[in-house]
Amino acid sequence: MLRKFIERPILSSVISIIILILGGLALVSLPIEQYPDIAPPTILVSTSYTGANAETVLKSVITPLEEQINGVENMTYMESTASNNGAASISVYFKQGTNADMATVNVQNRVARATSLLPPEVTRVGVITSKRQNNMLLVFSLYSEDGKYDETFSQNYSKINLLPQIQRVQGVGDATVFGAKDYAMRIWIKPDVMATYNLMPTDITTALSQQNLEAAPGRFGEQNNQTFEYVLKYKGKLAQAEEFENIIIKADKDGNILRLKDVAKVELGALSYSSSSSAMNKPGIVMEFINRLVQMPVK
């Protein structure tokens, strides 16, 4: 075989030119990516039901969502997860080559059908539908070498200074934190004191919703012959533990006032204590970067 090419240089040159032309055509026509889309398109539906256990989340949240999502166009299968901290997630997998944007819209339309079937607490929080890949680009940890800062501080620091910049990097679809613990105002109710005053936890939540809110008080002097117009300002939502402690729970006609600090302990802590993370035997967080879901041309 090699002897023919050696004895016929013109034939060899023609074949080489044909291979070169075919290679040039393949270079401009075949899909080329830094991160090839070899995994099927995946749509993630997530929400949370605060205070519910896994069984309650499964029955009241995941089941209605699955019944509506099942059968969406080009879907292959789906899997769901419910945890005891109230978190619920459903991963919907589609056929290879399915347009991820259209799949997201179709799933979102199915989720909207189940909104009226979900508990009011879940509807208030909202159901998030997003496209993502399961493959990770990078995983790294963030911690304080001297142990001065805990994982809640590290989570808050990464959310403000690291995550926004990382999410803008080309090729990164999402960045999440394992064991994330955002800052939250924790109100630890004292059951024995609550029973003394004949109070229920709903009394606490009602007082919070009424006295911890954003409001638009308006203005006065707008349509009068006055020289000045004054815009009223309202302090808005509370930010310090001391401010929450002074929330009024109950008052009587004699002027006796029962405040939140009398029936509960208020402190700034973490949103959830269901998990913890560490790095190098020190409190910290672990972050992961998810590959962006990029569509490949279907040949």
Side-chain angles (χ1 to χ4, degrees):
M1 180 64 68
L2 295 177
R3 186 181 185 86
K4 292 183 179 180
F5 290 103
I6 296 174
E7 295 177 349
R8 300 180 181 181
I10 298 178
L11 176 62
S12 301
S13 301
V14 172
I15 294 177
S16 300
I17 293 173
I18 293 175
I19 294 176
L20 182 62
I21 294 175
L22 293 177
L25 294 176
L27 184 64
V28 298
S29 60
L30 293 178
I32 299 176
E33 285 185 322
Q34 183 179 4
Y35 306 103
D37 185 15
I38 58 177
T42 307
I43 306 300
L44 178 66
V45 180
S46 59
T47 186
S48 62
Y49 190 0
T50 305
N53 55 28
E55 184 178 359
T56 304
V57 173
L58 178 62
K59 293 180 179 179
S60 60
V61 179
I62 290 183
T63 300
L65 289 174
E66 285 185 343
E67 290 177 351
Q68 297 298 329
I69 296 174
N70 187 35
V72 68
E73 185 178 0
N74 293 328
M75 167 188 160
T76 54
Y77 68 97
M78 61 181 172
E79 58 183 15
S80 57
T81 303
S83 58
N84 280 324
N85 62 356
S89 63
I90 302 176
S91 298
V92 187
Y93 298 88
F94 291 83
K95 297 179 181 179
Q96 188 69 34
T98 302
N99 186 285
D101 294 324
M102 288 303 303
T104 305
V105 173
N106 293 335
V107 173
Q108 181 62 50
N109 292 336
R110 295 296 186 98
V111 170
R113 298 181 185 177
T115 302
S116 60
L117 305 176
L118 300 177
E121 292 80 2
V122 177
T123 305
R124 192 180 308 113
V125 173
V127 182
I128 301 175
T129 304
S130 59
K131 58 182 180 179
R132 63 180 299 175
Q133 289 279 41
N134 292 327
N135 50 326
M136 294 182 291
L137 297 178
L138 180 66
V139 177
F140 74 92
S141 59
L142 176 68
Y143 65 95
S144 174
E145 292 185 353
D146 56 4
K148 181 179 179 181
Y149 302 108
D150 57 7
E151 52 189 298
T152 305
F153 179 89
S154 302
Q155 152 68 11
N156 187 65
Y157 179 86
S158 66
K159 189 174 182 178
I160 297 175
N161 300 283
L162 297 181
L163 286 180
Q165 299 186 36
I166 294 173
Q167 291 172 340
R168 292 194 295 266
V169 176
Q170 184 178 4
V172 175
D174 191 14
T176 58
V177 179
F178 294 124
K181 291 187 176 182
D182 291 330
Y183 277 115
M185 195 62 63
R186 305 292 302 195
I187 300 176
W188 305 99
I189 298 176
K190 302 175 182 178
D192 53 342
V193 182
M194 292 277 290
T196 303
Y197 292 101
N198 295 322
L199 294 175
M200 298 290 292
T202 53
D203 299 323
I204 305 296
T205 57
T206 301
L208 288 172
S209 61
Q210 292 176 350
Q211 302 178 45
N212 180 34
L213 50 83
E214 295 287 350
R219 63 187 68 184
F220 63 88
E222 182 176 2
Q223 294 182 349
N224 296 322
N225 295 326
Q226 299 179 9
T227 306
F228 299 100
E229 175 183 330
Y230 297 92
V231 178
L232 302 179
K233 292 184 178 180
Y234 177 68
K235 184 177 181 179
K237 289 190 174 183
L238 308 179
Q240 303 296 328
E242 293 77 10
E243 297 174 338
F244 280 87
E245 289 177 344
N246 292 322
I247 289 179
I248 299 174
I249 304 300
K250 183 188 294 187
D252 57 22
K253 59 182 179 181
D254 297 329
N256 298 318
I257 298 177
L258 181 67
R259 301 183 184 275
L260 182 60
K261 62 182 178 181
D262 299 325
V263 297
K265 177 185 176 182
V266 183
E267 63 179 3
L268 181 64
L271 181 62
S272 173
Y273 293 101
S274 59
S275 62
S276 62
S277 60
S278 62
M280 305 297 293
N281 293 326
K282 296 180 176 63
I285 59 172
V286 179
M287 305 176 63
E288 67 165 346
F289 305 156
I290 304 296
N291 184 16
R292 183 178 297 277
L293 190 57
V294 182
Q295 291 300 301
M296 298 271 289
V298 181
K299 299 296 182 181

